[in-house]
Amino acid sequence: AQAPVADIFAGKYSVGQQVTVKGWVRTRRDSKAGLSFIALHDGSCFDPIQVIALNTLNNYVDIQRLTTSCSIIATGVLKESQGQGQSLEIEASDVEVVGWVENPDTYPMAPKRHSLEYLREHAHLRPRTNVIGAVTRVRNCLSQAIHRFFHENGYCWVSTPILTASDTEGAGEMFRVSTLDMMNLPTTEQGQIDYSQDFFGKETFLTVSGQLNGETYATAMSKIYTFGPTFRAENSNTSRHLAEFWMIEPEVAFADLSDIAQLSEDLLKYVFKAVLAERADDMEFFAQRINKEAITRLEKVIDQDFVRMDYTDAIEILQNCGKKFEFPVSWGVDLSSEHERYLAEEHVGAPIIMQNYPKDIKAFYMRINDDNKTVAAMDVLAPGIGEIIGGSQREERLDVFDRRLEEMGLSQEDYSWYRDLRRFGTVPHAGFGLGFERLVAYVTGMQNVRDVIAFPRTPGNANY
Ligand code: 4AD
Ligand code: MG
């Protein structure tokens, strides 16, 4: 049988059975007894499997030339391992070399510890390392768990467009998409670029969020979510920002702020449980190498209610905590990452749901509270990373919405389809966006979102 290494360690094959494994050499060493020990990995689990090649194999000379990352197909009988820490190994009756490493001295991924910065510069080879392999499996596990959570709870997955003419967040951080000839741009009589001659007949961008489209489906399907790539041309070179990142955006009709605060808590706990159950091997590695609390902090979070805190109370805590912040705190300021991290790491020691922010620092679509100063917004702040979720109850009252548009200098015309949702059978509704890379970073303890996405897009870097 051809076996993924994970299936062998999971006990799907019995000792004495013949199996074939296909993969890459992680390390190889010779013993004096005339044997070669090959650690083979195929990406299916953290541990490589040991393949023992006896010098009686007719291509033993070749086998002794195997170096890290040569690809091989090994067939042999499954045995109880004599070695420490290994449960099973394969005594090979055949080792076929599929691909050589042309010059081992020039192979950039020698089996030693490389810095994460170095690995980023070799993004096409880094999936072969322990750390990126583990991140990749955990990321996959989390996305499967997210889909399962929503499926089990009756949500419909809606794929919202990537090309769009609307700026959901109104922050002006959009990448423009155009087929116009840049050397010969058509202009209007006023001297501006004439986008009516462009592919879509108007100025078009990569989406920053699927939310507005999501609202149109929530106000018909009741409970929906999106899961897709989003793009932001914000020039922030930080460990938590990417120009291309993945976002999960549930949107729920007949729901208010506290309903989606609860939803965020339920979703996070569900996926934390899934990852601890399904990727125990990789999480053990993160606990040993990246953050020693990687496992224990998730276990603790699963067992307790998330703390809910009002923005106004948070400001008071930050002002009275005696800590000196780079950005001073007063009511009305946007929380920066140092504030978010202080609250989550030092004040509470677990994720916090922060609610009811000043309206002036939040987007146009958020529902105004009765105090007329704050909006029904919620962010989830996590230790080590800060904001991982941003969401809100949406303004469903047409008159209030129109006043907000006017206040912010936005035109009703641009939002005519969005206003229609408020004109025809409007309903209280709410939703949030979970930044997927920030979630993976929090779960694994990885410090930089560039190391939890396959090919990070950041200012100055769209390589590979
Ligand atoms: O807080 P944001 O901007 O909220 C929205 O886009 C809403 N439309 C979501 C909604 O209500 N449906 O972004 C949501 C989350 C943030 O909390 C953060 O985790 C992540 O997306 N995020 C980023 N992740 C990586 N790189 C960036 N540049 C990010 N910008 C936001
Ligand atoms: Mg936000």
Side-chain angles (χ1 to χ4, degrees), residues 168-169 208-211 232 234 236 240-243 245-247 249-251 365 379 387-392 394 431-438 449:
T168 301
E169 293 303 301
V208 295
S209 154
Q211 179 196 322
R232 298 202 184 174
E234 52 193 335
S236 30
R240 14 179 262 150
H241 287 92
L242 292 162
F245 64 99
W246 287 64
M247 190 150 52
E249 297 185 89
E251 192 70 33
Y365 50 71
D379 280 4
E387 177 189 340
I388 59 171
I389 287 181
S392 66
R394 321 306 188 189
F432 62 74
L434 165 62
F436 191 45
E437 285 70 25
R438 292 196 189 171
V449 287

Side-chain angles (χ1 to χ4, degrees), residues 167-172 208-209 211-212 215 232 334 357-369 373-379 390-395 400-401 404-405 407-408 410 415 418 422:
D167 181 359
T168 301
E169 293 303 301
V208 295
S209 154
Q211 179 196 322
L212 305 190
E215 284 182 56
R232 298 202 184 174
D334 207 355
Y357 286 79
K359 68 175 181 181
D360 292 338
I361 57 169
K362 288 293 184 184
F364 68 93
Y365 50 71
M366 296 190 182
R367 193 178 197 277
I368 307 276
N369 288 326
K373 280 174 19 191
T374 59
V375 285
M378 54 91 59
D379 280 4
S392 66
Q393 185 171 343
R394 321 306 188 189
E395 185 56 78
V400 183
F401 182 71
R404 190 88 202 275
L405 277 185
E407 226 175 82
M408 299 183 76
L410 301 168
Y415 294 92
Y418 192 70
R422 280 80 187 151

Side-chain angles (χ1 to χ4, degrees), residues 210-240:
Q211 179 196 322
L212 305 190
N213 301 94
E215 284 182 56
T216 68
Y217 272 75
T219 52
M221 313 297 288
S222 298
K223 302 201 272 188
I224 66 99
Y225 72 105
T226 73
F227 193 149
T230 48
F231 307 86
R232 298 202 184 174
E234 52 193 335
N235 206 359
S236 30
N237 243 314
T238 79
S239 59
R240 14 179 262 150

Side-chain angles (χ1 to χ4, degrees), residues 406-420:
E406 206 183 322
E407 226 175 82
M408 299 183 76
L410 301 168
S411 84
Q412 290 190 10
E413 208 190 341
D414 286 347
Y415 294 92
S416 63
W417 58 269
Y418 192 70
R419 291 179 70 251
D420 278 356

